Amino acid sequence: MRVEIWSDIACPWCYVGKARFEKALDAFPHRDGVEVVHRSFELDPGRAKGDTQPVITMLTKKYGMSEAQAQAGEDNLGAQAAAEGLDYRTRDRDHGNTFDMHRLLHFAKEHGRQDELIQALYKANFAEERSVFGDDERLVELAAGAGLDADDARKVLADPAAYADDVRADEREAAELGANGVPFFVLDRKYGVSGAQPAEVFAQALTQAWGEHAPLKLIDSGTGSGGDAEACGPDGCAVPQA
């Protein structure tokens, strides 16, 4: 069974939601039969690379709230993160463009290190002092720490076209699925879970989706052979006998 998670590194609820989902997944009896794939979603796609600003400033301008209200929201998020065992800096974080991070995540997926990289990016953005925005070498460092080749990661970042189509394809698909916010979880293309739900909700969704997950049924020609006609496989092709 496949679970696809649309998220953004700049999204605190994605950070918290991932932890809650993984709590449910770790306790799921069929954990080894679940594949998790991270998909791209930008909360601020119009922001230029290098255009960064304090999170509190961004929140006041985007949502028309006071600095006190914005800070109270950050404090609440810090408490929610702490309840999931996550570190969260409620002061002096910044905000910026995440497109390059999503490109790197597609690169990481090809090398089987996607989950390691997204977790490293979340931790760096929400828990560490050094910014992840506007500094390619910072992203290279995080990619290397996630088990990727530093030089290859640097080449990806140096080429604006690398994996760009993959990111845009994910974003188009999110729109087609009706996801207008993140995190957004899609289980086996049958069920969607929106937001950083409690672990119990994810556990229920996993159980329900697994219960309806059925193996492929072969259709035969009516002979009862199960569709086992001539075919090619790893050992070669069946040769018709006279």
Side-chain angles (χ1 to χ4, degrees):
M1 184 172 73
R2 171 179 284 193
V3 177
E4 297 162 279
I5 307 173
W6 272 264
S7 60
D8 191 12
I9 301 304
C11 166
W13 288 117
C14 296
Y15 181 46
V16 172
K18 182 176 185 290
R20 291 176 178 172
F21 169 75
E22 288 176 347
K23 184 181 293 184
L25 185 60
D26 287 343
F28 187 55
H30 308 288
R31 169 66 185 90
D32 292 342
V34 179
E35 176 193 14
V36 178
V37 178
H38 297 281
R39 301 292 191 191
S40 301
F41 190 106
E42 293 175 276
L43 290 175
D44 202 353
R47 183 177 292 271
K49 180 177 180 177
D51 177 13
T52 62
Q53 65 182 153
V55 165
I56 297 300
T57 302
M58 179 274 293
L59 291 172
T60 58
K61 290 183 176 181
K62 187 172 184 177
Y63 299 108
M65 59 177 63
S66 68
E67 287 192 8
Q69 289 172 320
Q71 189 57 66
E74 281 293 285
D75 291 339
N76 176 56
L77 278 162
Q80 298 267 2
E84 304 302 330
L86 301 172
D87 293 327
Y88 190 100
R89 294 176 67 239
T90 60
R91 302 291 189 278
D92 302 323
R93 286 196 307 107
D94 61 356
H95 175 79
N97 179 283
T98 58
F99 189 64
D100 282 349
M101 297 182 215
H102 287 296
R103 294 197 299 116
L104 272 182
L105 284 166
H106 277 279
F107 162 67
K109 181 176 180 290
E110 285 190 352
H111 295 274
R113 308 298 294 177
Q114 191 184 44
D115 191 71
E116 289 82 357
L117 180 58
I118 198 169
Q119 191 60 35
L121 290 169
Y122 277 142
K123 182 179 178 183
N125 184 41
F126 292 109
E128 297 177 1
E129 185 173 351
R130 185 178 169 191
S131 177
V132 296
F133 301 104
D135 182 356
D136 283 359
E137 282 306 305
R138 172 64 164 149
L139 297 183
V140 169
E141 175 186 297
L142 292 169
L148 295 163
D149 183 86
D151 288 336
D152 288 345
R154 192 175 289 111
K155 289 176 183 177
V156 170
L157 292 171
D159 178 6
Y163 301 96
D165 289 345
D166 299 280
V167 177
R168 296 305 183 209
D170 277 358
E171 292 174 338
R172 286 194 300 271
E173 195 164 14
E176 291 167 2
L177 290 170
N180 53 18
V182 285
F184 189 73
F185 302 77
V186 176
L187 292 80
D188 236 16
R189 289 298 170 113
K190 290 182 178 179
Y191 295 99
V193 178
S194 180
Q197 299 285 352
E200 294 78 13
V201 173
F202 289 120
Q204 179 183 356
L206 286 166
T207 299
Q208 187 166 348
W210 185 270
E212 296 185 15
H213 178 77
L216 188 70
K217 293 182 179 179
L218 295 177
I219 298 176
D220 60 31
S221 59
T223 62
S225 62
D228 190 17
E230 292 81 2
C232 294
D235 298 324
C237 298
V239 179
Q241 300 296 313

